[in-house]
Amino acid sequence: MSKDSKRVPISTISSDLGPVDPTDIVRALDEIIRRAVVARASDIHIETKADRVRVRYRVDGVMSEQPYMPLAAAAPLVSRIKVLARMDIAERRQPQDGTFKSELGRGRTVSLRASTFPSYDGEKAVMRLLQSNAIMGLETLGLGQGQVQTVRKLTRTTGGLVLVTGPTGAGKTSTLYSMLAELDTSRLNIVTLEDPIEMQLPDITQGQVNPRAGFTFATGLRAILRQDPDVILVGEMRDAETAQIAIQASLTGHLVLSTMHTNSTIATITRLMDIGVEPYIVANALVGVLAQRLVRMVCPRCSQSYTLDQDVTADVGFPLPEGASLQRAVGCEHCMYTGFKGRRGVFEVVEVTDPVQGLIKKKAQAKDYKALLREMGVPTLRRVAMRQALKGRTTASEVLRVT
């Protein structure tokens, strides 16, 4: 999509300020969703502005401007989304959310999670495209061979807490699903608690929280413990209460998989203690931490190679090979002029061994953990990501952006 696309309205909607044909609204929304699927977008943003309806896609983690729509389409478009997602179309002062499916033609459908938010110029709607593809194997996530072996070892433990950490949109849920796929569902009772359920898994009991009905992560986790579980997946440890229950469950013979919003493996360990969990309990419960990011891969059609001719140690944090060949993102029609096409996971995987447990019990400083992980040969996220840049798969600037 060219940089001038935001000045071109979607053709199915008249640009005048008169009434909008409901049929046009239906077609326009279908077209927006269809284009998003083709562009491999993860989210669709529909924003009411003073003079137009702004449409943007999040592609490979970055917002991408799309053709706008006339202001007259704002209210009907949001109402159409509310009808599909079974929201209250008369309520415009409170945020709402819901889910629906959209037909793509030829028997294909896409599931979406929609939410609305009242803003100054009018309601904004965001739709998350929920992927329904097959679960990715650990080898296809971007984990190194040694990291795959470590993760498999963690999933085979009979009890303990394994955390996957990173910012929103880093692919944590996909990693958890891949870990579940390693388990023998015929011999284990696996129960999940998610918000929302992004992929339906056969032979696994999945639950979705509903705070309005009092079904929170904490109450749901307590109920799961009465369901004779072997493995518990908690979509996110959002509060101290949920963390405390999950940790107690991991200490009583259950394997608990969950996520936290922290920046690194070390920050995850310290966060558990910050929310009130005693260091000796963290040391005994935690068996592994995976920190991850998604880095954008350069577009193979337009990227340009160059030779590093200056010392960038100050920016990167460690020296790069002299004369290293790197890639530069350019941009073309194939990659919507972003210079990137697709994303790949990069991981820092830490198994909580006896030396790590010792540091946790002593409430050691971050520098002590870093020194130990270097001694153990555990590469940091930035080092793992920079290896991808040196292989010509991404750019150095992208590595610095996400790590």
Side-chain angles (χ1 to χ4, degrees):
M1 190 65 61
S2 71
K3 296 178 181 179
D4 294 330
S5 63
K6 63 183 179 180
R7 292 192 286 272
V8 182
I10 289 178
S11 58
T12 54
I13 299 290
S14 171
S15 59
D16 60 32
L17 298 178
V20 176
D21 189 333
T23 304
D24 288 344
I25 290 294
V26 172
R27 292 174 179 170
L29 181 59
D30 289 345
E31 177 67 9
I32 289 172
I33 295 173
R34 187 194 66 78
R35 289 184 184 181
V37 172
V38 172
R40 301 171 299 103
S42 61
D43 301 87
I44 303 170
H45 290 243
I46 297 176
E47 309 165 52
T48 304
K49 298 300 180 183
D51 58 346
R52 71 184 190 280
V53 178
R54 189 185 191 190
V55 180
R56 294 192 292 172
Y57 295 159
R58 186 175 292 279
V59 181
D60 293 335
V62 177
M63 300 296 283
S64 174
E65 201 81 36
Q66 300 299 307
Y68 73 82
M69 297 176 67
L71 184 60
L77 188 62
V78 173
S79 294
R80 172 63 180 168
I81 295 171
K82 287 182 176 180
V83 169
L84 292 172
R86 298 180 180 179
M87 303 180 198
D88 182 356
I89 63 172
E91 178 57 73
R92 297 184 177 90
R93 298 171 297 176
Q94 295 289 336
Q96 298 186 71
D97 60 81
T99 60
F100 67 96
K101 291 185 177 180
S102 178
E103 299 289 338
L104 298 175
R106 297 182 180 179
R108 296 184 304 150
T109 62
V110 60
S111 298
L112 300 100
R113 183 176 78 237
S115 68
T116 61
F117 182 81
S119 69
Y120 179 79
D121 291 315
E123 286 184 285
K124 173 180 178 176
V126 175
M127 293 174 284
R128 165 68 57 90
L129 282 72
L130 304 177
Q131 301 299 325
S132 57
N133 344 355
I135 298 175
M136 299 174 66
L138 290 177
E139 295 87 351
T140 61
L141 290 175
L143 289 158
Q145 185 175 357
Q147 291 177 327
V148 169
Q149 294 174 354
T150 301
V151 173
R152 285 203 170 117
K153 180 181 177 181
L154 295 176
T155 58
R156 293 190 186 111
T157 58
T158 55
L161 176 64
V162 179
L163 291 174
V164 181
T165 73
T168 300
K172 299 186 294 296
T173 302
S174 295
T175 300
L176 287 179
Y177 284 162
S178 297
M179 294 170 71
L180 288 183
E182 295 287 319
L183 301 172
D184 185 352
T185 57
S186 65
R187 295 178 177 272
L188 297 171
N189 177 24
I190 304 172
V191 187
T192 76
L193 190 60
E194 307 172 58
D195 183 24
I197 297 173
E198 296 193 12
M199 188 184 302
Q200 294 186 357
L201 308 174
D203 304 322
I204 291 177
T205 302
Q206 294 177 268
Q208 179 166 318
V209 299
N210 185 354
R212 294 178 183 175
F215 186 23
T216 63
F217 276 109
T219 57
L221 191 49
R222 289 194 187 95
I224 287 175
L225 292 175
R226 296 189 288 271
Q227 292 286 308
D228 185 32
D230 295 300
V231 180
I232 303 170
L233 185 151
V234 183
E236 182 183 343
M237 295 209 306
R238 295 181 178 176
D239 52 67
E241 184 181 12
T242 303
Q244 294 279 3
I245 301 170
I247 288 173
Q248 289 301 321
S250 70
L251 290 171
T252 53
H254 307 90
L255 175 61
V256 180
L257 309 176
S258 190
T259 69
M260 289 188 77
H261 288 286
T262 53
N263 291 327
S264 66
T265 55
I266 298 172
T268 303
I269 295 172
T270 56
R271 174 70 62 83
L272 289 172
M273 290 183 281
D274 288 343
I275 62 178
V277 184
E278 292 294 333
Y280 74 93
I281 294 179
V282 174
N284 292 328
L286 195 63
V287 296
V289 185
L290 288 74
Q292 71 177 85
R293 298 290 190 276
L294 291 176
V295 294
R296 294 180 295 169
M297 300 289 99
V298 291
C299 175
R301 297 193 183 183
C302 63
S303 63
Q304 296 178 353
S305 61
Y306 67 97
T307 301
L308 189 66
D309 57 3
Q310 57 182 338
D311 185 4
V312 293
T313 304
D315 295 327
V316 177
F318 49 86
L320 296 180
E322 186 176 351
S325 177
L326 297 172
Q327 293 293 313
R328 179 181 292 112
V330 179
C332 65
E333 185 175 350
H334 178 66
C335 60
M336 299 176 66
Y337 297 94
T338 63
F340 297 91
K341 189 79 171 179
R343 291 189 290 178
R344 177 189 178 94
V346 292
F347 298 82
E348 178 184 347
V349 181
V350 174
E351 181 183 2
V352 180
T353 57
D354 289 342
V356 178
Q357 285 183 332
L359 290 183
I360 295 174
K361 292 176 181 177
K362 294 192 302 183
K363 297 188 69 172
Q365 300 294 317
K367 63 180 181 179
D368 299 319
Y369 287 105
K370 290 179 180 178
L372 177 60
L373 294 183
R374 280 196 301 269
E375 185 180 331
M376 293 169 58
V378 178
T380 63
L381 273 172
R382 178 164 291 184
R383 285 185 180 273
V384 173
M386 193 56 72
R387 290 174 186 172
Q388 299 300 317
L390 293 172
K391 291 178 181 178
R393 294 172 177 167
T394 188
T395 66
S397 59
E398 173 68 4
V399 170
L400 296 178
R401 183 183 73 87
V402 300
T403 63

